[in-house]
Amino acid sequence: DDIYVWGGTYTHFSNSESYRGASWLLGAEVDNPNDHVYGLALFNNSFDQFSQYFFYGKVFRYKDTNFHGKITGGLIHGYKGEHSDNLYFNEQLGVAPVIVPGIGYQKNRWGIDLYLLATQGLLLGVGYQF
């Protein structure tokens, strides 16, 4: 198993004035030899609230290239107050189930990934594999 540690920035598709943009994001995931991954991402959500994403997923490597696809699913926590209804089920449960697809490129131990966050935005992350 390898540990992949990454950080990122966040950009929204929406021009909503209530979005403040994330000031930071840090993630760590365990990459198994069978290309299954699990991990945790800590970040300020787009409303400047501390949030967490616990996830499990799968990496799909493209043969003879450094490119891959990735899909993760898990629970997100941290959308509170007037923003608690921005994610399905969050208002009732305090957490919301989410699925996050992405594509990436890894050369040696360095990687870059681009994730699609539903219709809300894109997440660009850069990481290092230990």
Side-chain angles (χ1 to χ4, degrees):
D1 293 357
D2 292 323
I3 304 292
Y4 186 66
V5 177
W6 55 283
T9 60
Y10 192 66
T11 304
H12 279 281
F13 291 132
S14 174
N15 291 328
S16 173
E17 291 181 20
S18 62
Y19 289 145
R20 297 192 182 128
S23 57
W24 59 271
L25 179 139
L26 291 173
E29 63 186 49
V30 176
D31 296 339
N32 293 329
N34 61 2
D35 290 330
H36 287 241
V37 298
Y38 58 92
L40 169 67
L42 304 173
F43 59 98
N44 274 2
N45 67 31
S46 53
F47 305 107
D48 202 27
Q49 298 171 324
F50 178 66
S51 299
Q52 311 84 39
Y53 174 47
F54 301 93
F55 62 88
Y56 178 82
K58 175 87 172 144
V59 177
F60 302 91
R61 302 191 189 283
Y62 301 110
K63 290 185 179 187
D64 301 324
T65 74
N66 293 327
F67 290 96
H68 62 267
K70 185 186 293 186
I71 189 162
T72 64
L75 296 175
I76 195 166
H77 173 264
Y79 287 76
K80 298 177 181 172
E82 65 182 286
H83 306 295
S84 64
D85 64 347
N86 281 37
L87 299 170
Y88 295 116
F89 303 112
N90 186 63
E91 198 168 22
Q92 297 82 11
L93 303 175
V95 296
V98 295
I99 296 174
V100 180
I103 57 171
Y105 179 84
Q106 188 167 350
K107 178 87 171 167
N108 300 320
R109 296 206 167 264
W110 288 98
I112 186 166
D113 293 279
L114 182 66
Y115 297 101
L116 180 62
L117 305 175
T119 61
Q120 301 302 308
L122 294 173
L123 170 67
L124 180 64
V126 175
Y128 186 80
Q129 188 172 33
F130 295 91

